[in-house]
Amino acid sequence: GILGGFVVTGLIFCAVALIIKVVGPDWIDVLLPPAAMGPIVSLIGLELAGVAASNGGLILSDTYTSINPKFVAVFTITLLVAIFGQVLFKGFLAAISILIAICVGYLSSLFIGLVDFSTVSEASVFALPNFQTPIFDLSAILIIIPASLVVISEHIGHQVVTSEIVGRDLIRDPGLHRSLLGDGISTTLSGFCGAVPTTTYGENIGVMAVTRVYSVWVIGGAAVFSILLAFIGKASALIQTIPSPVMGGVSFLLYGMIAASGLRLLVDQKVDYSRGRNLALSAVVFVTGLSGAFIQIGEVRLTGMCLATIVGMALSLVFFIIDKAGLSND
């Protein structure tokens, strides 16, 4: 039933993409000016920072009830290799600095005994993914549909930060409607095949920022390799043996790069914080995203960057109306 909800949500993305195609992208400048978009982009990285720290074993949780020195050591080694790789490596080595950091972190995990190969030995060489067909149940669909608001908000934010990183306005070229349509089509296909919804990912944006590799052919090639690996059981099991502190180490840098990209956007756009509206807009967006405030819509909770995006858009629209009415003193 949930798969049916994924399919319908993907179709909603496609419908929204068609509306954006007709309306055009100029509304983004009104609803998401730089003073709002910069903090939103930063929030993408900041709200994920805790996940990276948790994976590194730096935060106590139900999974980690005490600080494990081995986890911290692997996390630190991986992070340092990623940082110094970005600073010191040149050419091809710079492009694969994240991969090198993961390999070094994995080897250090292997040396201190954090890698468990039991799942690899048990896995078959070749294996078919677990394909399932959806069932279209109205109650399940109604539970999933509100999540489309979350994903669309994230999609817009991710496109803006990617534009900032690659130095090209992707909202207009190739266009937000095209990227959102691709998001919708892939989510629909995933629902029909029994997979989870596809969406834009902050991790990938961070990798692009670090490696400076922006080619869609490279990303497409990675997709082909991913599909092929899905049919090799031992390869999938081997990837799952990567300890969480390794991924926490690289993610720590990647999420920080995204947060810094939001600050870079504010600098590049020369946002004037002597104007009260810009200061208020950035402040409210930041506090909304980091405060833990939420709005519950059915089974879906709007919080973090998603809620901050909605609040930022609403406040920007109010400022726009005030300007048009000639009531602003700013």
Side-chain angles (χ1 to χ4, degrees):
I2 297 298
L3 292 175
F6 294 162
V7 172
V8 174
T9 300
L11 295 176
I12 290 174
F13 294 167
C14 295
V16 173
L18 180 60
I19 294 171
I20 293 175
K21 167 66 175 176
V22 174
V23 174
D26 291 341
W27 58 273
I28 293 179
D29 295 332
V30 175
L31 294 182
L32 290 172
M37 185 52 74
I40 289 171
V41 169
S42 291
L43 284 170
I44 297 172
L46 291 176
E47 70 177 352
L48 290 171
V51 176
S54 179
N55 287 338
L58 303 180
I59 298 177
L60 299 182
S61 63
D62 294 337
T63 305
Y64 304 121
T65 56
S66 62
I67 300 297
N68 188 328
K70 292 183 178 180
F71 281 19
V72 175
V74 171
F75 169 88
T76 304
I77 291 171
T78 307
L79 176 60
L80 290 176
V81 172
I83 292 173
F84 288 109
Q86 185 187 6
V87 174
L88 301 176
F89 293 166
K90 297 180 180 179
F92 180 68
L93 290 179
I96 61 169
S97 59
I98 294 298
L99 179 60
I100 293 173
I102 292 175
C103 291
V104 172
Y106 190 85
L107 290 175
S108 62
S109 301
L110 191 62
F111 179 75
I112 61 178
L114 293 182
V115 181
D116 180 8
F117 289 109
S118 60
T119 55
V120 179
S121 59
E122 296 170 0
S124 57
V125 178
F126 298 103
L128 282 175
N130 183 26
F131 292 104
Q132 287 182 294
T133 54
I135 298 172
F136 294 94
D137 177 75
L138 182 59
S139 60
I141 291 172
L142 292 177
I143 290 173
I144 296 298
I145 281 179
S148 60
L149 179 61
V150 178
V151 179
I152 291 172
S153 300
E154 288 183 342
H155 185 104
I156 294 172
H158 287 171
Q159 284 295 82
V160 171
V161 69
T162 304
S163 298
E164 188 69 17
I165 288 171
V166 305
R168 174 181 168 189
D169 189 356
L170 302 178
I171 296 292
R172 288 175 169 78
D173 180 22
L176 180 62
H177 62 288
R178 287 191 173 93
S179 61
L180 191 58
L181 178 64
D183 208 340
I185 292 173
S186 62
T187 296
T188 302
L189 292 176
S190 294
F192 275 119
C193 294
V196 296
T198 60
T199 184
T200 51
Y201 286 96
E203 292 88 342
N204 295 335
I205 299 172
V207 170
M208 292 171 64
V210 171
T211 63
R212 298 183 178 88
V213 175
Y214 313 136
S215 170
V216 294
W217 292 100
V218 173
I219 297 171
V224 172
F225 275 111
S226 297
I227 293 171
L228 294 177
L229 287 174
F231 293 89
I232 304 175
K234 287 194 179 296
S236 299
L238 183 62
I239 291 172
Q240 292 175 18
T241 64
I242 300 176
S244 61
V246 175
M247 300 314 298
V250 294
S251 297
F252 207 75
L253 175 63
L254 298 181
Y255 296 153
M257 294 287 286
I258 298 171
S261 296
L263 300 179
R264 174 185 166 185
L265 190 153
L266 294 174
V267 174
D268 290 348
Q269 295 296 322
K270 297 181 173 62
V271 176
D272 183 6
Y273 279 114
S274 65
R275 301 186 68 191
R277 71 171 58 198
N278 289 338
L279 193 60
L281 193 54
S282 294
V284 170
V285 170
F286 264 129
V287 173
T288 302
L290 297 175
S291 64
F294 66 91
I295 295 176
Q296 194 81 22
I297 301 178
E299 299 293 327
V300 176
R301 175 176 291 191
L302 303 179
T303 187
M305 190 272 288
C306 177
L307 181 59
T309 301
I310 296 170
V311 171
M313 292 172 70
L315 193 56
S316 298
L317 182 59
V318 170
F319 287 154
F320 178 77
I321 294 173
I322 290 174
D323 275 347
K324 289 299 182 181
L327 301 176
S328 175
N329 63 354
D330 185 15

